[in-house]
Amino acid sequence: MNNSQCVMRNVLAVVCASFLIGGCGEEPQKPAPKPAQNKIDLSNAKDGTYTVESSRDEKLGHSTLTLTIKDKKIVAAEFTGYDLFGNVKDADYGSLTGKDSADYKKAQVAVNAIKTYPAQLVETQDLSKVDAISGASISYGQFVETTKRAVEEASK
């Protein structure tokens, strides 16, 4: 073995060892902070009930949000997801390939997430504290969009 082969072999050994050692001591990832633009301001919101529709996702449909505001607080919220055909996303959503399929299970993650977003918003009064749920990012985006639009409408 010549000198350059020995150097390459040693470099390769050091690189491999670095990956092995570095991988063992990995710190758990922290959740990404929510963007500041997810803050909502209710200081100018008028009492009332406001219903808005999200933009339509070309594959997964759209959503509606009905937000009730009283005394500058969100007192009720109802969020409903609709598939491309206008059907409510419910226990049958995603079952076209069978209720044992991966598609169905993923679709039901979104259905369950849709149910949690309004309660979190009413409880925290802060859109940035509503937890995005992995596997339901389109629904979360639609919830953020409709919440902002409803608050804007209430503040006119």
Side-chain angles (χ1 to χ4, degrees):
M1 191 179 289
N2 67 31
N3 200 21
S4 67
Q5 287 176 322
C6 284
V7 169
M8 287 299 288
R9 184 174 167 194
N10 288 339
V11 168
L12 184 59
V14 168
V15 169
C16 288
S18 296
F19 281 117
L20 289 172
I21 293 168
C24 293
E26 228 174 82
E27 289 184 34
Q29 288 187 339
K30 297 176 184 171
K34 299 268 176 44
Q37 67 264 24
N38 281 354
K39 293 282 184 183
I40 53 173
D41 179 8
L42 295 166
S43 63
N44 294 319
K46 297 171 187 68
D47 289 357
T49 299
Y50 304 89
T51 300
V52 294
E53 187 172 311
S54 74
S55 55
R56 185 175 299 275
D57 181 84
E58 63 187 45
K59 294 179 183 173
L60 302 174
H62 71 285
S63 301
T64 60
L65 172 71
T66 300
L67 204 62
T68 303
I69 298 174
K70 182 162 176 57
D71 299 325
K72 315 281 186 230
K73 287 191 164 209
I74 298 168
V75 295
E78 184 179 324
F79 186 60
T80 307
Y82 298 92
D83 67 16
L84 286 176
F85 307 105
N87 301 311
V88 172
K89 292 180 180 178
D90 59 12
D92 289 326
Y93 178 61
S95 66
L96 203 55
T97 56
K99 290 194 175 185
D100 290 330
S101 72
D103 290 338
Y104 175 74
K105 291 174 184 170
K106 184 174 180 181
Q108 288 303 299
V109 168
V111 169
N112 291 324
I114 286 169
K115 295 174 187 175
T116 68
Y117 297 148
Q120 289 181 61
L121 181 62
V122 171
E123 181 181 330
T124 65
Q125 299 292 303
D126 187 345
L127 182 57
S128 67
K129 291 183 180 175
V130 174
D131 293 328
I133 296 174
S134 179
S137 56
I138 300 294
S139 297
Y140 178 76
Q142 290 177 343
F143 184 74
V144 169
E145 174 193 356
T146 54
T147 301
K148 288 179 180 181
R149 287 184 48 221
V151 170
E152 284 174 21
E153 205 172 290
S155 299
K156 289 181 181 176

